[in-house]
Amino acid sequence: MSMSSVVTLQRGATSVVFDHSLPMPAIAHIGAAIDGFDPRALGLPVAHATLDAPAPIGVLTENGTGFLGRPGLVGSRPDGSAWAPIFTTVANEIDSDRARFELIDETAELELVIAVEITESETVSATLELTNTGTTDYTLVRLSASIPMPVHATELVSFTGRWCKEFQPRRHDFEALSVIENRRGRTSHDQLPAIFAGSVGFGEHHGDVWGIQLAWSGNYEIAAERLADGRRHVQAGELLSPGEVVLAPGASYRTPAVVVASSQAGITPASQQFHRHVRAQNPLRGDRKVILNTWEAVYFNHDLATLRSLADAGAAVGVERFVLDDGWFGGRRDDTKGLGDWWVSDEVWPDGLHPIVDHVVALGMEFGLWVEPEMVNPDSDLYRKNPHWTLTTAGYQPVLGRQQLVLDCGRSDVREYLFERIDALLNEYAISYLKWDMNRDLVQGSNHRSVDDAGRAGTHGHVRGVYDLLDRIRAAHPSVEIESCASGGGRVDLEMLRHTDRVWTSDCNDALERQAIQRGFTMLFPPEVMGAHIGPHRAHTTHRVQQLGFRTATALFGSLGIEWNLLDADEDGRTQVAAAIALYKRLRPLLHSGNVMRFDHDDPAALVHGVIAGDRTHAVMAYVQMLPSITTAPLPMRFGGLDPDRRYRIERIDDLGSADEFGRKRPPWMNLERFELSGAQLMRSGLQPPILHPESVLLIELHSV
Ligand code: GLA
């Protein structure tokens, strides 16, 4: 091998170095640019009792070359052949920040295209595309790209959770084989397509870190594998059911993108790279509006007078968009029936939605509407007419989830029906927002498309179909924003965030839970897409009772809304909500464009986080007392990411009502008329918080002087 067989891509601080000395390109380095990186430095000796040449970790790992870990391609022809191909590069196009390799295996009659680019946000994105050039079908079971990790990436952080407790990071060793498998047909609450690998003990601001996300909203598998020789890789791709993707002669399959962020200073900078990725692929169109969502206020009880009063109360506190949730259509008076019948119900809305839409618009707010297009209740006109539109398997009783079935959005007639219905609603009413829900896991989902295809697994086709439908609606109604919801945060991923604008993070509005959920969320996605609503005094999903100041200070850091019957709030409560909304509007430009900081903090009873403007002249920080501290006074908070050479004026934000202090005396700095510190001191030495009751937040604003 010579240095001419090294391909280096670079953009900003990120580089990808390919070892191209073998027929299959392999990533030798990914992350911080290293001048003149030479892959020969890591070439392996041949160990006893191993094959004569150590196999590389190719972008596609190949059993045929002697790679003995997980193969990147699993598939075969009807006669069982072509199951272990070996590809050879026949052409490539290399630019400074992107590479495209074309490979073939003449024996297996397969073609492979590998495309890797460093995006403008300096993430690395890789996709594979396989084409069947033979004369028989090729059944594909796996096509997954491999991203090698250095041997010192010894720990992993992946995400688990459940309904009302999404985005919970968990740490484990990067040993043997760890596989995240999701078979729920949606991104899921419990197996996110995301993983961080890093050096021992990596934290928010220390350690080498690589973050890997698969941009896909259906089934997937992400494997972190340590090989016998100590090398490591993370392999990510769609999880296909047997027979789900069969490539006819000439047909191709393209993988979802594997997106990699990297940092030499902990998780937070890698998260910021992911945030820039989302911001670049789907830029905000104006300010993120303050929402009032009716679900927890009225549930299915759609009473015009109440909803009008609720809209009045919302407008009075500064709400900018009123979203009418479930219950407005067909026979949908509870969650047992009606899904699929997307006509405004005469029973509850005899004059259509006009009386509420017009009222909301007259108040100067926008109107949003809940839909769950992919679903059908067996008790619906749509199902009675088209039972074969569902993803179910003939001969079996389908498993219901929330009394509903999934429509096969892989079918063009289903997409046509749904488009026509949604388009008609958007044309008839001044709707500027859709809350697009998806409330069940998809199991045993076979399609009934044609006699040939009936019984074939349909998740892949469904997910692609949903993306198509979303894109078609957006193209026809470009000013309409779409929120992705799946029983809260059950479908949040990089690809869904290309086709939608915001997500409903969780059905849990308990601020204590939300602090943890939102912290996990921002490890992967930016705050402006994170629906964060002020809930009622007593949280509906946990029954915890929380002060309004804690609830507002928690929701402030996302895309703010209200999920509460404001008509239950007293005058004082409404004044506090109005102040929170005003504060949000003032800080919104910073919160939705700045760098999100999650600080490591020495007290497990508290969380410290904030947002620092790109130019580091302005920041807002939150000290969150989650539980009572074990120390007599809480520990100082240190704010990395500031400019060490600037001085900052430190001001406590009191707009949300004072944080719930109970110390006899505040820390002295809080009694000073004016207080300034250098960035260096704030970063390295820190600032003392007051003694707070649990479940309260101290907000601090920093301005450079
Ligand atoms: C799901 C959503 C909720 C609400 C209900 C309506 O559970 O997560 O926010 O929209 O559906 O049925």
Side-chain angles (χ1 to χ4, degrees):
M1 166 183 160
S2 71
M3 276 302 277
S4 64
S5 42
V6 175
V7 171
T8 302
L9 311 182
Q10 192 172 335
R11 192 160 178 178
T14 302
S15 74
V16 183
V17 182
F18 294 93
D19 176 348
H20 199 16
S21 62
L22 293 160
M24 167 66 67
I27 294 173
H29 171 73
I30 186 165
I34 297 177
D35 221 20
F37 187 96
D38 188 338
R40 288 177 296 190
L42 298 175
L44 286 177
V46 177
H48 287 290
T50 62
L51 298 168
D52 288 345
I57 302 178
V59 178
L60 186 82
T61 51
E62 297 169 307
N63 176 271
T65 59
F67 181 84
L68 294 167
R70 272 167 72 95
L73 172 65
V74 177
S76 63
R77 297 199 178 274
D79 64 357
S81 68
W83 66 274
I86 302 179
F87 288 93
T88 302
T89 307
V90 290
N92 59 40
E93 283 166 38
I94 314 285
D95 255 324
S96 59
D97 54 11
R98 65 193 58 215
R100 186 174 180 280
F101 303 95
E102 281 176 37
L103 302 95
I104 57 167
D105 176 337
E106 281 176 347
T107 310
E109 299 183 301
L110 293 170
E111 244 174 51
L112 180 72
V113 172
I114 298 174
V116 178
E117 80 167 302
I118 307 179
T119 67
E120 61 174 292
S121 42
E122 296 181 28
T123 52
V124 177
S125 166
T127 52
L128 307 176
E129 184 166 355
L130 184 77
T131 303
N132 177 9
T133 55
T135 52
T136 58
D137 287 350
Y138 191 77
T139 297
L140 186 64
V141 177
R142 177 191 301 151
L143 186 67
S144 295
S146 276
I147 311 293
M149 292 288 118
V151 294
H152 72 280
T154 56
E155 291 179 9
L156 297 170
V157 169
S158 63
F159 295 83
T160 185
R162 59 163 166 82
W163 177 72
C164 277
K165 211 172 179 77
E166 295 87 340
F167 306 102
Q168 306 291 317
R170 63 181 158 198
R171 191 174 280 260
H172 33 128
D173 289 338
F174 195 154
E175 276 298 329
L177 179 64
S178 305
V179 187
I180 298 167
E181 277 192 3
N182 173 43
R183 298 172 189 277
R184 294 182 184 270
R186 56 177 177 174
T187 317
S188 92
H189 295 82
D190 65 323
Q191 300 285 350
L192 297 198
I195 200 163
F196 288 92
S199 52
V200 61
F202 69 92
E204 287 294 349
H205 295 278
H206 62 91
D208 287 348
V209 174
W210 290 264
I212 294 141
Q213 295 201 52
L214 185 75
W216 186 244
S217 319
N219 295 335
Y220 41 76
E221 44 182 10
I222 299 184
E225 186 175 44
R226 182 173 188 249
L227 304 169
D229 52 36
R231 290 177 300 166
R232 303 169 197 272
H233 68 131
V234 173
Q235 187 186 67
E238 195 178 348
L239 195 163
L240 298 171
S241 293
E244 183 160 23
V245 171
V246 177
L247 299 177
S252 301
Y253 166 86
R254 189 154 183 264
T255 63
V258 179
V259 179
V260 185
S262 57
S263 142
Q264 295 73 57
I267 308 168
T268 287
S271 301
Q272 291 170 358
Q273 226 173 58
F274 282 137
H275 297 182
R276 288 193 289 273
H277 183 95
V278 173
R279 287 171 178 173
Q281 75 176 5
N282 194 3
L284 272 186
R285 293 169 285 160
D287 283 339
R288 235 336 103 83
K289 301 270 187 295
V290 179
I291 283 178
L292 188 156
N293 192 72
T294 61
W295 180 239
E296 287 199 5
V298 300
Y299 291 104
F300 286 104
N301 195 1
H302 284 202
D303 167 60
L304 177 59
T306 309
L307 288 166
R308 276 187 169 156
S309 306
L310 192 58
D312 294 340
V317 295
V319 165
E320 297 164 308
R321 180 181 282 150
F322 181 90
V323 180
L324 184 67
D325 210 288
D326 199 354
W328 56 267
F329 56 91
R332 188 76 169 171
R333 301 295 79 79
D334 56 36
D335 68 4
T336 61
K337 51 184 177 293
L339 286 174
D341 300 338
W342 301 108
W343 281 268
V344 178
S345 157
D346 304 337
E347 201 186 318
V348 262
W349 295 99
D351 301 313
L353 295 175
H354 292 291
I356 186 67
V357 178
D358 295 349
H359 187 77
V360 165
V361 171
L363 287 166
M365 296 187 291
E366 294 187 350
F367 184 82
L369 191 64
W370 180 94
V371 289
E372 195 178 1
E374 297 153 71
M375 295 291 158
V376 67
N377 286 119
D379 189 353
S380 66
D381 294 341
L382 183 70
Y383 184 78
R384 282 183 278 273
K385 197 165 150 220
N386 294 304
H388 59 292
W389 278 11
T390 53
L391 283 166
T392 46
T393 301
Y396 301 87
Q397 195 57 38
V399 177
L400 296 175
R402 209 190 187 198
Q403 291 84 233
Q404 58 202 54
L405 294 166
V406 184
L407 291 173
D408 180 4
C409 289
R411 292 176 69 115
S412 54
D413 48 2
V414 169
R415 290 198 302 274
E416 199 54 48
Y417 166 76
L418 293 173
F419 177 80
E420 188 281 317
R421 278 295 77 224
I422 295 167
D423 183 56
L425 288 161
L426 295 178
N427 288 332
E428 179 169 1
Y429 299 105
I431 296 171
S432 62
Y433 187 79
L434 290 174
K435 176 178 176 183
W436 183 296
D437 215 334
M438 199 287 193
N439 279 316
R440 64 155 292 175
D441 295 326
L442 175 50
V443 291
Q444 208 191 33
S446 310
N447 72 62
H448 308 267
R449 247 168 271 167
S450 63
V451 180
D452 281 355
D453 246 9
R456 198 181 284 289
T459 306
H460 170 82
H462 173 75
V463 174
R464 286 248 171 263
V466 172
Y467 295 151
D468 280 1
L469 182 58
L470 286 163
D471 291 350
R472 192 169 163 204
I473 292 165
R474 282 174 125 199
H477 301 275
S479 62
V480 173
E481 284 186 18
I482 303 180
E483 174 181 55
S484 165
C485 174
S487 307
R491 194 160 64 180
V492 188
D493 58 80
L494 287 180
E495 190 61 24
M496 202 30 104
L497 282 168
R498 245 155 54 83
H499 304 277
T500 59
D501 303 281
R502 180 197 202 247
V503 295
W504 182 224
T505 313
S506 178
D507 277 343
C508 183
N509 299 303
D510 170 326
L512 190 72
E513 297 295 331
R514 271 291 183 141
Q515 284 288 342
I517 292 169
Q518 295 180 184
R519 192 173 173 95
F521 182 100
T522 65
M523 290 172 77
L524 303 168
F525 312 108
E528 65 273 18
V529 304
M530 175 174 76
H533 294 184
I534 303 165
H537 193 56
R538 181 184 288 279
H540 288 196
T541 55
T542 63
H543 280 212
R544 273 200 196 103
V545 171
Q546 288 153 342
Q547 304 295 323
L548 187 50
F550 183 49
R551 280 138 58 205
T552 52
T554 302
L556 182 75
F557 285 89
S559 167
L560 183 69
I562 297 175
E563 193 87 19
W564 172 23
N565 190 344
L566 269 186
L567 303 173
D568 293 344
D570 58 16
E571 206 40 50
D572 196 38
R574 293 196 205 185
T575 309
Q576 274 193 66
V577 172
I581 291 176
L583 175 68
Y584 171 77
K585 289 177 180 170
R586 177 171 77 74
L587 294 176
R588 183 160 53 186
L590 165 67
L591 294 170
H592 294 177
S593 70
N595 290 319
V596 171
M597 306 298 295
R598 291 177 310 275
F599 300 107
D600 294 313
H601 188 61
D602 299 312
D603 181 354
L607 294 176
V608 185
H609 67 93
V611 179
I612 301 179
D615 64 5
R616 297 187 291 178
T617 57
H618 184 199
V620 55
M621 303 297 188
Y623 173 84
V624 187
Q625 191 72 50
M626 301 279 284
L627 302 168
S629 291
I630 203 162
T631 45
T632 52
L635 305 180
M637 44 200 169
R638 284 177 296 131
F639 303 135
L642 295 172
D643 182 344
D645 299 327
R646 285 180 198 270
R647 286 188 72 72
Y648 292 92
R649 192 174 74 244
I650 299 163
E651 280 167 352
R652 169 185 182 157
I653 299 177
D654 266 331
D655 309 39
L656 308 183
S658 298
D660 200 9
E661 293 176 33
F662 75 99
R664 273 187 302 153
K665 286 188 180 156
R666 295 174 158 187
W669 72 265
M670 288 183 73
N671 297 322
L672 300 174
E673 190 71 17
R674 188 184 166 95
F675 189 53
E676 289 177 17
L677 283 178
S678 69
Q681 186 173 346
L682 282 164
M683 293 165 76
R684 294 179 196 128
S685 173
L687 186 66
Q688 175 64 50
I691 299 173
L692 299 177
H693 279 296
E695 303 193 9
S696 49
V697 179
L698 175 76
L699 290 177
I700 291 170
E701 195 168 359
L702 305 177
H703 282 282
S704 77
V705 290

